[in-house]
Amino acid sequence: MTHSRFLALALLLAASLAFPACKDDDDPKPQPPANEGEVITTLRYTLTPVGGGAARTAQFRDLDGDGGTAPVLTYDGGAARLLLDKTKTYTGAVLLLDETKSPVDTISNEVLEEADEHLFVYKLSAPTPADLLTITRTDRDANMLPLGLETTVAPRATPGTGTLQIILKHQPGVKDGTEAPGDTDIDVSFGVEVR
Amino acid sequence: MLLPAVGWAQAPVSGSVLTPTPASVNCGLTLSGQVLDHETRQPLPGATVVVFDAATGQPVPHGATQTDGFGNYHLHDLCAGAVRVKTLFVGYADEVEDLRLTRPTVINPRLHPTAVQLRSVEVRGARPVAPYTQVAAELSGRALDATAGQTLGEAVSRLAGVTVLQTGPSIYKPMIHGLHSNRVAVLNNGVRQEGQQWGQEHAPEIDPFLAQRLTVVKGAAAVRYGSDAIGGVVLMQPAPLRDSAGVGGRATLVAASNNRLGAASVTVDGNSRRLPALRWRAHGTGRRAGTTATPDYYLGNSGFAETAYAGAVGWAPVAGRWGTEVFYSHFATRLGIFAASHVGNLTDLQRAFEADRPLQPYEGFSYAIGRPYQHVRHGLLKATAWWRPAAGGRVELVAARQLDLRDEYDKHRPRNNELSALNRPELSYQNTTSTLDLTAELPARPLLGGTHHATVGLSGTYQDNTFRGRYFIPFYTNRVGGVFGIEQWSCGRWTAEIGVRLDRRDLQVERTLGAADNFAVLRNRFVVWTPAASVGAAVEAGPHLTVRATAALTRRAPAPNERYSRGVHNGQYEEGYDISLAPGAAPLAPETSRALNLTLTAHDNPRLNGELTAYVNHIDQFIYATPILPPVLTIRGPFPSFRFLSTDARFWGFDLSGTYTPAPRWTVLGKAAIVRTRDLRRQDYLIFTPADRAELAVRRELGRPPPGSGPGGSPRFYAQISGQAVARQTRLPANYELLDYRAAPAGYALLGAEMGAALRLGPCPLDVSVAGTNLLDHRYRDYLNRFRYFSDEMGRNLTVRVSTRW
């Protein structure tokens, strides 16, 4: 009597709780990523000569995000580094893209909208000669602090090479025009040659 | 009135099992212990202990005695079989415990002072929580009460050999003998907790206020608890449902000064007078804390808000052969993550480390929780049915379903306004687990001059894990089927135990590649058989000394994160072994652990008692994270990068805990733990090993001795002062600067104190205590706290606890 009652109870429990486990159709299947998060996949730095001429570009692209396939650095014309003419001055513009989205999301527009929370920093490391080129940020946010989406790049007359590091700092509420506060959203380096 | 502290097992051994008692059954058993006041922990001299035969209800031969001047009792020449042990003392409720005597047994009854009306409380519990031959430490009664308001991890770290892996002031993961996460099983009311255990900053989603007892099984306990419990098991056991008519309850309030924590918990238990088989419980807890303060500054955004509730309904006819129970618990927490710890790349980290205080605008105290934070919810539905056949033994079926949701929010919302308005978590996991366990305990039988009894079980698990947002671990399903058997034999002072288990784990992993237009799913399947075996023996080497030894062989299948994680989590890039495997290469193999454990326990001595455990655990193919050099480059620059690899490792060490009573009502408590690790392939130390530690406390109890003063007697007080010392970890792998962002911090010593009183509020007992930690407001950092890179530990903290029962 008690035995059968126990069995009935046991079967009921097993049925109610364990059965979903047997149905494979219930498994959620992986879906394409929802367009909810933000991933910066691409940074393109375009240098247009003042007074005309072919623009120079350098691009950092990591379509699968952190890890996995290594990011790809490309320069226009398949060059090994960014080639600048020592006789010209360039206007620089940074374009940031999220290419995991369809259509592609232009993150640099959002940076511009929130200019007072962002700061681009341009650094030249190991330049030979030391005064290879000068980079000046030409745009400012509402608080008259530099932003750096737009720049002027002026190579010196002497040829040479170096590494150009572009950093985007996210500084909501703490932006003071210096690099120190906030978090790093972008930190990429390109080879550069002046000739 | 609170249900007395009688053990409640995961797979309870039945109370009044009718055991045939033929002449061949062992009749040389001892039953001993100490009778204590539940509230004051004072020994009760002159209490009566009587042992009844469970079948006939008659006292057994040699079955009655009185406690001596220290509250100790000893009964000798008892026969094996089902017995009921009744403890009586004037002014206290009778305490009754049913158990099956198969070996020398220690029971320490804790008597509750009776309220105005004398009520008899009867609890049919079941003793052996952990395998008897295995070392286990527990927190219950006043020691557990002293942890009220803390997390599960903080509470169990009071036990020798247990440390915590900490993420700031609110996230604690238990670490047993140097092992943690995937290698420690946590049982929430008898059901294996399943969620995202792999994460170092993913704490167990459990409300410890529900526990009547927290037990830590130290060392591999895979045969009973599943094949990945290489390190040990943490058991959270609620009190059994009330089985005497009436309604009782317990309420606890906790307030702390440092983070202005407030916690309240209420449990109400009932048993129907008209339907004595019907028992029920309702439980609710809320915990809220604001910003934690170190001696010099606040840790901005370190508050948390937690709510938990649980309910249970049971039906078990009084003295019947079957019973059933349905239990539901829900736990939800929102944990702020100290903002300065959520850094960008390696450069940001360096900048954070070089600053001696966190790089953030000054923030004062606040209860607000902003980004970054975690939002975790865990629900458990459990249904149990048990049956005791007339022939003896016990059969139990447990079916459970758990849903674990974990959302992690990054420091910043997406810049895109539409995405930002959604305010989605950047990492979001959902894990659903169904388990079914059938356990049968066979009736005890005579064997080779002693008694043996066997337990066999079947268990099945189906688990499904999905995520939304950023990839870190894949979609997976895990199907586990297992069978185990444990055979225990006791004869006189000896007990031996053999267990075997076999599990089949079928892990299917699904990873996504690309976005909407070039989307693909990669599937992998791993079927792993994981056998486990253990052999143990225990001997009562004397009336006050127990020696236990166990040897265990365990295999653990790699977890999904060890195979297929990829991404940045907690400011570091991590990837599984299999995700970056060259085509054709062999995937990650299971770990094999061979462990030995030896424990000496001195118990029921008038002055010096204690326990010493020595262990060694040799793990082949030990899976651990090792740095990738050069670090992985992302668009945010290089991150500290780790990949799971395997090596052969050895863990060994000692735990020591003891109490000494130099004079009546003075107690000296001490404990110490040492863990040593070795990477046997590289002949080097392993990273993140707990440093050596020791603790010493002196306790004084005051107030009139209890006899005659039970009900409404004068208050009893206690005061304790304690010191804790933790050494600097100096046994570090070579080239440490490449493995860790920062060197191991200096050792530290902390001063603590606690005092409390057992008062009465009308007919109800009222326990009040005040505890202070880090009284000298010492600045320190702990090697196993992930926030040691950014900030000091919590400064001085005073905690007030008030609890009552009715």
Side-chain angles (χ1 to χ4, degrees), chain B residues 388-418:
Chain B
R388 293 196 311 239
R394 188 178 204 270
V395 180
E396 188 181 55
L397 182 72
V398 180
R401 197 172 169 94
Q402 297 174 65
L403 175 65
D404 185 272
L405 300 169
R406 162 172 283 273
D407 293 334
E408 297 183 14
Y409 292 80
D410 281 355
K411 194 168 178 176
H412 301 295
R413 295 178 185 222
R415 269 164 282 247
N416 181 307
N417 291 336
E418 285 165 40

PDB file of all heavy atoms in Angstrom, chain B residues 388-418:
ATOM      1  N   ARG B 388      10.577   3.831   3.857  1.00  0.00           N
ATOM      2  CA  ARG B 388      11.331   2.859   4.640  1.00  0.00           C
ATOM      3  C   ARG B 388      10.612   1.528   4.569  1.00  0.00           C
ATOM      4  O   ARG B 388       9.565   1.358   5.197  1.00  0.00           O
ATOM      5  CB  ARG B 388      11.427   3.298   6.099  1.00  0.00           C
ATOM      6  CG  ARG B 388      12.262   4.545   6.299  1.00  0.00           C
ATOM      7  CD  ARG B 388      12.635   4.699   7.757  1.00  0.00           C
ATOM      8  NE  ARG B 388      11.468   4.555   8.622  1.00  0.00           N
ATOM      9  CZ  ARG B 388      11.048   5.500   9.451  1.00  0.00           C
ATOM     10  NH1 ARG B 388      11.669   6.638   9.533  1.00  0.00           N
ATOM     11  NH2 ARG B 388       9.996   5.287  10.211  1.00  0.00           N
ATOM     12  N   PRO B 389      11.126   0.590   3.826  1.00  0.00           N
ATOM     13  CA  PRO B 389      10.464  -0.711   3.734  1.00  0.00           C
ATOM     14  C   PRO B 389      10.453  -1.389   5.105  1.00  0.00           C
ATOM     15  O   PRO B 389      11.332  -1.129   5.937  1.00  0.00           O
ATOM     16  CB  PRO B 389      11.335  -1.500   2.757  1.00  0.00           C
ATOM     17  CG  PRO B 389      12.255  -0.514   2.137  1.00  0.00           C
ATOM     18  CD  PRO B 389      12.377   0.646   3.065  1.00  0.00           C
ATOM     19  N   ALA B 390       9.472  -2.261   5.303  1.00  0.00           N
ATOM     20  CA  ALA B 390       9.359  -2.952   6.590  1.00  0.00           C
ATOM     21  C   ALA B 390      10.609  -3.790   6.852  1.00  0.00           C
ATOM     22  O   ALA B 390      10.991  -4.003   7.997  1.00  0.00           O
ATOM     23  CB  ALA B 390       8.115  -3.833   6.597  1.00  0.00           C
ATOM     24  N   ALA B 391      11.254  -4.235   5.804  1.00  0.00           N
ATOM     25  CA  ALA B 391      12.436  -5.083   5.978  1.00  0.00           C
ATOM     26  C   ALA B 391      13.665  -4.278   6.397  1.00  0.00           C
ATOM     27  O   ALA B 391      14.729  -4.856   6.593  1.00  0.00           O
ATOM     28  CB  ALA B 391      12.726  -5.808   4.670  1.00  0.00           C
ATOM     29  N   GLY B 392      13.516  -2.977   6.527  1.00  0.00           N
ATOM     30  CA  GLY B 392      14.659  -2.154   6.911  1.00  0.00           C
ATOM     31  C   GLY B 392      15.220  -1.420   5.713  1.00  0.00           C
ATOM     32  O   GLY B 392      14.850  -1.672   4.570  1.00  0.00           O
ATOM     33  N   GLY B 393      16.104  -0.478   5.998  1.00  0.00           N
ATOM     34  CA  GLY B 393      16.702   0.304   4.917  1.00  0.00           C
ATOM     35  C   GLY B 393      15.855   1.520   4.588  1.00  0.00           C
ATOM     36  O   GLY B 393      14.888   1.853   5.288  1.00  0.00           O
ATOM     37  N   ARG B 394      16.229   2.176   3.543  1.00  0.00           N
ATOM     38  CA  ARG B 394      15.564   3.425   3.198  1.00  0.00           C
ATOM     39  C   ARG B 394      15.798   3.728   1.727  1.00  0.00           C
ATOM     40  O   ARG B 394      16.895   3.508   1.210  1.00  0.00           O
ATOM     41  CB  ARG B 394      16.158   4.557   4.027  1.00  0.00           C
ATOM     42  CG  ARG B 394      15.449   5.855   3.925  1.00  0.00           C
ATOM     43  CD  ARG B 394      16.167   6.824   4.858  1.00  0.00           C
ATOM     44  NE  ARG B 394      15.300   7.904   5.293  1.00  0.00           N
ATOM     45  CZ  ARG B 394      15.171   9.050   4.661  1.00  0.00           C
ATOM     46  NH1 ARG B 394      15.847   9.258   3.567  1.00  0.00           N
ATOM     47  NH2 ARG B 394      14.372   9.983   5.134  1.00  0.00           N
ATOM     48  N   VAL B 395      14.783   4.209   1.079  1.00  0.00           N
ATOM     49  CA  VAL B 395      14.893   4.575  -0.331  1.00  0.00           C
ATOM     50  C   VAL B 395      14.509   6.047  -0.442  1.00  0.00           C
ATOM     51  O   VAL B 395      13.523   6.470   0.178  1.00  0.00           O
ATOM     52  CB  VAL B 395      13.950   3.710  -1.203  1.00  0.00           C
ATOM     53  CG1 VAL B 395      14.083   4.097  -2.670  1.00  0.00           C
ATOM     54  CG2 VAL B 395      14.239   2.244  -1.008  1.00  0.00           C
ATOM     55  N   GLU B 396      15.274   6.810  -1.180  1.00  0.00           N
ATOM     56  CA  GLU B 396      14.957   8.228  -1.318  1.00  0.00           C
ATOM     57  C   GLU B 396      15.101   8.657  -2.770  1.00  0.00           C
ATOM     58  O   GLU B 396      16.052   8.285  -3.454  1.00  0.00           O
ATOM     59  CB  GLU B 396      15.889   9.068  -0.448  1.00  0.00           C
ATOM     60  CG  GLU B 396      15.451  10.519  -0.425  1.00  0.00           C
ATOM     61  CD  GLU B 396      16.374  11.388   0.403  1.00  0.00           C
ATOM     62  OE1 GLU B 396      17.586  11.392   0.120  1.00  0.00           O
ATOM     63  OE2 GLU B 396      15.884  12.051   1.318  1.00  0.00           O
ATOM     64  N   LEU B 397      14.141   9.448  -3.192  1.00  0.00           N
ATOM     65  CA  LEU B 397      14.184   9.984  -4.547  1.00  0.00           C
ATOM     66  C   LEU B 397      14.164  11.506  -4.439  1.00  0.00           C
ATOM     67  O   LEU B 397      13.319  12.075  -3.743  1.00  0.00           O
ATOM     68  CB  LEU B 397      12.959   9.503  -5.328  1.00  0.00           C
ATOM     69  CG  LEU B 397      12.909   9.951  -6.783  1.00  0.00           C
ATOM     70  CD1 LEU B 397      13.937   9.209  -7.607  1.00  0.00           C
ATOM     71  CD2 LEU B 397      11.530   9.710  -7.359  1.00  0.00           C
ATOM     72  N   VAL B 398      15.101  12.145  -5.082  1.00  0.00           N
ATOM     73  CA  VAL B 398      15.157  13.609  -5.069  1.00  0.00           C
ATOM     74  C   VAL B 398      15.161  14.091  -6.513  1.00  0.00           C
ATOM     75  O   VAL B 398      16.019  13.690  -7.300  1.00  0.00           O
ATOM     76  CB  VAL B 398      16.427  14.125  -4.365  1.00  0.00           C
ATOM     77  CG1 VAL B 398      16.469  15.637  -4.371  1.00  0.00           C
ATOM     78  CG2 VAL B 398      16.502  13.605  -2.947  1.00  0.00           C
ATOM     79  N   ALA B 399      14.198  14.923  -6.850  1.00  0.00           N
ATOM     80  CA  ALA B 399      14.176  15.526  -8.180  1.00  0.00           C
ATOM     81  C   ALA B 399      14.308  17.029  -7.981  1.00  0.00           C
ATOM     82  O   ALA B 399      13.683  17.600  -7.087  1.00  0.00           O
ATOM     83  CB  ALA B 399      12.880  15.196  -8.892  1.00  0.00           C
ATOM     84  N   ALA B 400      15.143  17.671  -8.766  1.00  0.00           N
ATOM     85  CA  ALA B 400      15.355  19.108  -8.561  1.00  0.00           C
ATOM     86  C   ALA B 400      15.575  19.799  -9.889  1.00  0.00           C
ATOM     87  O   ALA B 400      16.057  19.198 -10.852  1.00  0.00           O
ATOM     88  CB  ALA B 400      16.558  19.335  -7.652  1.00  0.00           C
ATOM     89  N   ARG B 401      15.179  21.040  -9.906  1.00  0.00           N
ATOM     90  CA  ARG B 401      15.418  21.851 -11.093  1.00  0.00           C
ATOM     91  C   ARG B 401      15.943  23.209 -10.636  1.00  0.00           C
ATOM     92  O   ARG B 401      15.399  23.818  -9.718  1.00  0.00           O
ATOM     93  CB  ARG B 401      14.124  22.008 -11.862  1.00  0.00           C
ATOM     94  CG  ARG B 401      14.338  22.482 -13.286  1.00  0.00           C
ATOM     95  CD  ARG B 401      13.023  22.413 -14.030  1.00  0.00           C
ATOM     96  NE  ARG B 401      13.126  23.099 -15.289  1.00  0.00           N
ATOM     97  CZ  ARG B 401      13.420  22.508 -16.438  1.00  0.00           C
ATOM     98  NH1 ARG B 401      13.627  21.214 -16.476  1.00  0.00           N
ATOM     99  NH2 ARG B 401      13.492  23.200 -17.548  1.00  0.00           N
ATOM    100  N   GLN B 402      17.003  23.664 -11.277  1.00  0.00           N
ATOM    101  CA  GLN B 402      17.608  24.945 -10.901  1.00  0.00           C
ATOM    102  C   GLN B 402      17.683  25.841 -12.122  1.00  0.00           C
ATOM    103  O   GLN B 402      17.963  25.372 -13.215  1.00  0.00           O
ATOM    104  CB  GLN B 402      19.048  24.739 -10.427  1.00  0.00           C
ATOM    105  CG  GLN B 402      19.181  23.911  -9.194  1.00  0.00           C
ATOM    106  CD  GLN B 402      20.639  23.637  -8.885  1.00  0.00           C
ATOM    107  OE1 GLN B 402      21.405  24.534  -8.580  1.00  0.00           O
ATOM    108  NE2 GLN B 402      21.026  22.387  -8.958  1.00  0.00           N
ATOM    109  N   LEU B 403      17.463  27.098 -11.882  1.00  0.00           N
ATOM    110  CA  LEU B 403      17.640  28.084 -12.938  1.00  0.00           C
ATOM    111  C   LEU B 403      18.586  29.145 -12.409  1.00  0.00           C
ATOM    112  O   LEU B 403      18.346  29.733 -11.352  1.00  0.00           O
ATOM    113  CB  LEU B 403      16.294  28.706 -13.308  1.00  0.00           C
ATOM    114  CG  LEU B 403      16.370  29.837 -14.330  1.00  0.00           C
ATOM    115  CD1 LEU B 403      16.871  29.325 -15.663  1.00  0.00           C
ATOM    116  CD2 LEU B 403      15.007  30.488 -14.499  1.00  0.00           C
ATOM    117  N   ASP B 404      19.668  29.360 -13.116  1.00  0.00           N
ATOM    118  CA  ASP B 404      20.668  30.335 -12.683  1.00  0.00           C
ATOM    119  C   ASP B 404      20.821  31.392 -13.774  1.00  0.00           C
ATOM    120  O   ASP B 404      21.116  31.071 -14.918  1.00  0.00           O
ATOM    121  CB  ASP B 404      21.997  29.623 -12.447  1.00  0.00           C
ATOM    122  CG  ASP B 404      23.047  30.552 -11.869  1.00  0.00           C
ATOM    123  OD1 ASP B 404      23.759  31.221 -12.654  1.00  0.00           O
ATOM    124  OD2 ASP B 404      23.148  30.617 -10.643  1.00  0.00           O
ATOM    125  N   LEU B 405      20.600  32.627 -13.398  1.00  0.00           N
ATOM    126  CA  LEU B 405      20.748  33.736 -14.339  1.00  0.00           C
ATOM    127  C   LEU B 405      21.826  34.661 -13.813  1.00  0.00           C
ATOM    128  O   LEU B 405      21.789  35.062 -12.654  1.00  0.00           O
ATOM    129  CB  LEU B 405      19.441  34.530 -14.439  1.00  0.00           C
ATOM    130  CG  LEU B 405      18.221  33.762 -14.921  1.00  0.00           C
ATOM    131  CD1 LEU B 405      16.969  34.587 -14.718  1.00  0.00           C
ATOM    132  CD2 LEU B 405      18.384  33.425 -16.388  1.00  0.00           C
ATOM    133  N   ARG B 406      22.782  34.980 -14.653  1.00  0.00           N
ATOM    134  CA  ARG B 406      23.881  35.849 -14.226  1.00  0.00           C
ATOM    135  C   ARG B 406      24.105  36.902 -15.293  1.00  0.00           C
ATOM    136  O   ARG B 406      24.391  36.578 -16.439  1.00  0.00           O
ATOM    137  CB  ARG B 406      25.137  35.018 -14.008  1.00  0.00           C
ATOM    138  CG  ARG B 406      26.433  35.790 -13.973  1.00  0.00           C
ATOM    139  CD  ARG B 406      27.580  34.915 -13.569  1.00  0.00           C
ATOM    140  NE  ARG B 406      27.545  34.700 -12.138  1.00  0.00           N
ATOM    141  CZ  ARG B 406      28.111  35.530 -11.257  1.00  0.00           C
ATOM    142  NH1 ARG B 406      28.761  36.592 -11.672  1.00  0.00           N
ATOM    143  NH2 ARG B 406      28.042  35.296  -9.973  1.00  0.00           N
ATOM    144  N   ASP B 407      23.922  38.147 -14.909  1.00  0.00           N
ATOM    145  CA  ASP B 407      24.152  39.260 -15.822  1.00  0.00           C
ATOM    146  C   ASP B 407      25.310  40.088 -15.288  1.00  0.00           C
ATOM    147  O   ASP B 407      25.325  40.425 -14.108  1.00  0.00           O
ATOM    148  CB  ASP B 407      22.913  40.161 -15.904  1.00  0.00           C
ATOM    149  CG  ASP B 407      21.745  39.441 -16.550  1.00  0.00           C
ATOM    150  OD1 ASP B 407      21.986  38.521 -17.346  1.00  0.00           O
ATOM    151  OD2 ASP B 407      20.594  39.797 -16.247  1.00  0.00           O
ATOM    152  N   GLU B 408      26.236  40.385 -16.156  1.00  0.00           N
ATOM    153  CA  GLU B 408      27.356  41.229 -15.736  1.00  0.00           C
ATOM    154  C   GLU B 408      27.355  42.489 -16.583  1.00  0.00           C
ATOM    155  O   GLU B 408      27.346  42.416 -17.809  1.00  0.00           O
ATOM    156  CB  GLU B 408      28.678  40.469 -15.863  1.00  0.00           C
ATOM    157  CG  GLU B 408      28.699  39.260 -14.932  1.00  0.00           C
ATOM    158  CD  GLU B 408      30.002  38.498 -14.954  1.00  0.00           C
ATOM    159  OE1 GLU B 408      30.995  39.024 -15.484  1.00  0.00           O
ATOM    160  OE2 GLU B 408      30.021  37.373 -14.441  1.00  0.00           O
ATOM    161  N   TYR B 409      27.330  43.616 -15.901  1.00  0.00           N
ATOM    162  CA  TYR B 409      27.275  44.908 -16.575  1.00  0.00           C
ATOM    163  C   TYR B 409      28.649  45.558 -16.532  1.00  0.00           C
ATOM    164  O   TYR B 409      29.244  45.671 -15.463  1.00  0.00           O
ATOM    165  CB  TYR B 409      26.259  45.818 -15.869  1.00  0.00           C
ATOM    166  CG  TYR B 409      24.839  45.345 -16.032  1.00  0.00           C
ATOM    167  CD1 TYR B 409      24.332  44.313 -15.231  1.00  0.00           C
ATOM    168  CD2 TYR B 409      23.995  45.915 -16.965  1.00  0.00           C
ATOM    169  CE1 TYR B 409      23.038  43.867 -15.384  1.00  0.00           C
ATOM    170  CE2 TYR B 409      22.689  45.471 -17.120  1.00  0.00           C
ATOM    171  CZ  TYR B 409      22.224  44.457 -16.330  1.00  0.00           C
ATOM    172  OH  TYR B 409      20.939  44.006 -16.479  1.00  0.00           O
ATOM    173  N   ASP B 410      29.136  45.977 -17.685  1.00  0.00           N
ATOM    174  CA  ASP B 410      30.430  46.648 -17.750  1.00  0.00           C
ATOM    175  C   ASP B 410      30.314  48.049 -17.157  1.00  0.00           C
ATOM    176  O   ASP B 410      29.231  48.535 -16.868  1.00  0.00           O
ATOM    177  CB  ASP B 410      30.901  46.753 -19.198  1.00  0.00           C
ATOM    178  CG  ASP B 410      31.498  45.440 -19.691  1.00  0.00           C
ATOM    179  OD1 ASP B 410      31.619  44.507 -18.878  1.00  0.00           O
ATOM    180  OD2 ASP B 410      31.818  45.367 -20.887  1.00  0.00           O
ATOM    181  N   LYS B 411      31.459  48.692 -17.076  1.00  0.00           N
ATOM    182  CA  LYS B 411      31.494  50.019 -16.472  1.00  0.00           C
ATOM    183  C   LYS B 411      30.703  51.033 -17.294  1.00  0.00           C
ATOM    184  O   LYS B 411      30.046  51.913 -16.751  1.00  0.00           O
ATOM    185  CB  LYS B 411      32.949  50.460 -16.384  1.00  0.00           C
ATOM    186  CG  LYS B 411      33.215  51.643 -15.510  1.00  0.00           C
ATOM    187  CD  LYS B 411      34.711  51.702 -15.342  1.00  0.00           C
ATOM    188  CE  LYS B 411      35.195  52.848 -14.525  1.00  0.00           C
ATOM    189  NZ  LYS B 411      36.657  52.731 -14.355  1.00  0.00           N
ATOM    190  N   HIS B 412      30.783  50.925 -18.619  1.00  0.00           N
ATOM    191  CA  HIS B 412      30.132  51.927 -19.461  1.00  0.00           C
ATOM    192  C   HIS B 412      29.061  51.292 -20.322  1.00  0.00           C
ATOM    193  O   HIS B 412      29.207  50.167 -20.780  1.00  0.00           O
ATOM    194  CB  HIS B 412      31.157  52.590 -20.383  1.00  0.00           C
ATOM    195  CG  HIS B 412      32.258  53.252 -19.628  1.00  0.00           C
ATOM    196  ND1 HIS B 412      32.046  54.332 -18.813  1.00  0.00           N
ATOM    197  CD2 HIS B 412      33.573  52.956 -19.542  1.00  0.00           C
ATOM    198  CE1 HIS B 412      33.197  54.688 -18.267  1.00  0.00           C
ATOM    199  NE2 HIS B 412      34.135  53.864 -18.679  1.00  0.00           N
ATOM    200  N   ARG B 413      28.007  52.033 -20.561  1.00  0.00           N
ATOM    201  CA  ARG B 413      27.009  51.595 -21.530  1.00  0.00           C
ATOM    202  C   ARG B 413      27.565  51.779 -22.927  1.00  0.00           C
ATOM    203  O   ARG B 413      28.516  52.530 -23.134  1.00  0.00           O
ATOM    204  CB  ARG B 413      25.761  52.468 -21.410  1.00  0.00           C
ATOM    205  CG  ARG B 413      25.044  52.324 -20.103  1.00  0.00           C
ATOM    206  CD  ARG B 413      23.875  53.269 -20.131  1.00  0.00           C
ATOM    207  NE  ARG B 413      23.207  53.280 -18.852  1.00  0.00           N
ATOM    208  CZ  ARG B 413      21.876  53.288 -18.728  1.00  0.00           C
ATOM    209  NH1 ARG B 413      21.109  53.304 -19.791  1.00  0.00           N
ATOM    210  NH2 ARG B 413      21.328  53.297 -17.538  1.00  0.00           N
ATOM    211  N   PRO B 414      26.964  51.138 -23.918  1.00  0.00           N
ATOM    212  CA  PRO B 414      27.387  51.406 -25.295  1.00  0.00           C
ATOM    213  C   PRO B 414      27.218  52.885 -25.615  1.00  0.00           C
ATOM    214  O   PRO B 414      26.328  53.549 -25.069  1.00  0.00           O
ATOM    215  CB  PRO B 414      26.440  50.563 -26.142  1.00  0.00           C
ATOM    216  CG  PRO B 414      25.854  49.555 -25.225  1.00  0.00           C
ATOM    217  CD  PRO B 414      25.863  50.155 -23.872  1.00  0.00           C
ATOM    218  N   ARG B 415      28.067  53.406 -26.524  1.00  0.00           N
ATOM    219  CA  ARG B 415      27.971  54.827 -26.876  1.00  0.00           C
ATOM    220  C   ARG B 415      26.730  55.124 -27.704  1.00  0.00           C
ATOM    221  O   ARG B 415      26.179  56.202 -27.644  1.00  0.00           O
ATOM    222  CB  ARG B 415      29.213  55.254 -27.661  1.00  0.00           C
ATOM    223  CG  ARG B 415      30.309  55.784 -26.765  1.00  0.00           C
ATOM    224  CD  ARG B 415      31.617  55.834 -27.502  1.00  0.00           C
ATOM    225  NE  ARG B 415      32.160  54.500 -27.551  1.00  0.00           N
ATOM    226  CZ  ARG B 415      33.266  54.137 -26.913  1.00  0.00           C
ATOM    227  NH1 ARG B 415      33.961  55.010 -26.244  1.00  0.00           N
ATOM    228  NH2 ARG B 415      33.693  52.903 -26.969  1.00  0.00           N
ATOM    229  N   ASN B 416      26.313  54.107 -28.497  1.00  0.00           N
ATOM    230  CA  ASN B 416      25.128  54.287 -29.327  1.00  0.00           C
ATOM    231  C   ASN B 416      23.914  54.511 -28.419  1.00  0.00           C
ATOM    232  O   ASN B 416      23.638  53.708 -27.527  1.00  0.00           O
ATOM    233  CB  ASN B 416      24.945  53.013 -30.161  1.00  0.00           C
ATOM    234  CG  ASN B 416      23.754  53.104 -31.073  1.00  0.00           C
ATOM    235  OD1 ASN B 416      22.651  53.397 -30.640  1.00  0.00           O
ATOM    236  ND2 ASN B 416      23.982  52.836 -32.338  1.00  0.00           N
ATOM    237  N   ASN B 417      23.180  55.598 -28.658  1.00  0.00           N
ATOM    238  CA  ASN B 417      22.111  55.964 -27.733  1.00  0.00           C
ATOM    239  C   ASN B 417      21.005  54.923 -27.671  1.00  0.00           C
ATOM    240  O   ASN B 417      20.444  54.667 -26.616  1.00  0.00           O
ATOM    241  CB  ASN B 417      21.519  57.321 -28.106  1.00  0.00           C
ATOM    242  CG  ASN B 417      22.515  58.424 -27.856  1.00  0.00           C
ATOM    243  OD1 ASN B 417      23.425  58.257 -27.031  1.00  0.00           O
ATOM    244  ND2 ASN B 417      22.390  59.524 -28.567  1.00  0.00           N
ATOM    245  N   GLU B 418      20.691  54.315 -28.821  1.00  0.00           N
ATOM    246  CA  GLU B 418      19.632  53.304 -28.821  1.00  0.00           C
ATOM    247  C   GLU B 418      20.066  52.087 -28.012  1.00  0.00           C
ATOM    248  O   GLU B 418      19.306  51.548 -27.212  1.00  0.00           O
ATOM    249  CB  GLU B 418      19.308  52.854 -30.245  1.00  0.00           C
ATOM    250  CG  GLU B 418      18.516  53.876 -31.026  1.00  0.00           C
ATOM    251  CD  GLU B 418      18.542  53.552 -32.509  1.00  0.00           C
ATOM    252  OE1 GLU B 418      18.448  52.352 -32.843  1.00  0.00           O
ATOM    253  OE2 GLU B 418      18.665  54.483 -33.309  1.00  0.00           O
TER     254      GLU B 418
END
